[in-house]
Amino acid sequence: MTHQARWARQPLLALDLFRLRAVISANVVMFLLGLGFFASPILLSLYLQDVHGWSPLRAGLGYLPVGAAMFAGARAAGPLTVRFGPRRTSVACCLVGAAGFAGVAALLGADGSYALTVGVCGVVFGFGTAAAFTPITVAATGGVPAARSGLAAGVLNTVRQTSGAVGLAAISTVSAAAAAAWSHAHPGRGGAHGAAALAHGYGVAFLVCAGCVAAAALVAALAMPRTG
């Protein structure tokens, strides 16, 4: 890429794109949001199966309230962005998402309530995170010339997919490590695969998700251009 940017008249990815504050800040926010968000459906599904003993089909259907909240958040994102601007909307939506993740982390347990963890907190993080994608995209593409908006959108999409892959690998590892540590600290209480150990691991994982999305809100507040 460096060779191409230096010698090609029209490089595939001109590196001066990253000199634009709107582009670099939006991509950092998107990466942090993706780290926390994209692992959550799998973690929640595994929690319902491993801790509550639900079948895969039932766990998938159990995620429907979050999916409905994500649909509502995506629909609301456009009007919110127009009214409040991409920066303030990104900050607010990421904070809502972080609050939802923190609520899930606090309420997860071997006897955790589905209605509270998924029906309330899951709906909150689903709405907030889904609503955040639109203003972040607007911020990343609105600050570049029209001829390069497609390039900016492509970079953002690449960052989004990369963050999902990295986040799933890292946060699932955190969950497994936390479950093993809990089992080691509480011998004789079900082993590493006991419901309590697994619930603890998933709780720690969702706390990490909350931290990533909260960090996205902080970066959006401090680094995104204040024009929106």
Side-chain angles (χ1 to χ4, degrees):
M1 182 184 299
T2 303
H3 174 81
Q4 184 188 55
R6 181 175 298 175
W7 298 107
R9 292 183 178 179
Q10 294 182 329
L12 181 64
L13 176 58
L15 298 182
D16 62 352
L17 182 71
F18 297 102
R19 296 176 183 172
L20 300 175
R21 179 180 175 184
V23 173
I24 191 65
S25 61
N27 276 275
V28 172
V29 173
M30 180 63 79
F31 185 80
L32 292 169
L33 176 64
L35 282 180
F37 171 69
F38 287 112
S40 62
I42 296 175
L43 292 172
L44 203 54
S45 176
L46 291 176
Y47 166 74
L48 293 174
Q49 294 177 66
D50 296 341
V51 177
H52 289 286
W54 288 21
S55 68
L57 176 60
R58 186 182 178 189
L61 293 174
Y63 197 78
L64 283 176
V66 182
M70 291 173 60
F71 177 80
R75 290 293 299 271
L80 289 173
T81 302
V82 171
R83 180 172 181 179
F84 299 106
R87 183 180 67 88
R88 285 183 290 181
T89 306
S90 297
V91 172
C93 291
C94 286
L95 287 176
V96 170
F101 280 123
V104 172
L107 295 172
L108 280 185
D111 300 316
S113 167
Y114 167 82
L116 291 176
T117 53
V118 179
V120 177
C121 297
V123 166
V124 172
F125 82 66
F127 182 91
T129 51
F133 286 103
T134 294
I136 296 171
T137 302
V138 171
T141 58
V144 300
R148 306 181 74 182
S149 60
L151 175 61
V155 170
L156 188 71
N157 188 52
T158 300
V159 168
R160 179 168 61 98
Q161 295 186 43
T162 302
S163 69
V166 173
L168 178 58
I171 295 177
S172 60
T173 300
V174 168
S175 176
W182 190 96
S183 178
H184 180 74
H186 302 83
R189 296 182 62 179
H193 300 290
L198 290 172
H200 175 76
Y202 292 131
V204 172
F206 272 99
L207 189 61
V208 173
C209 290
C212 290
V213 180
L218 180 62
V219 173
L222 297 178
M224 276 187 175
R226 296 182 177 272
T227 54

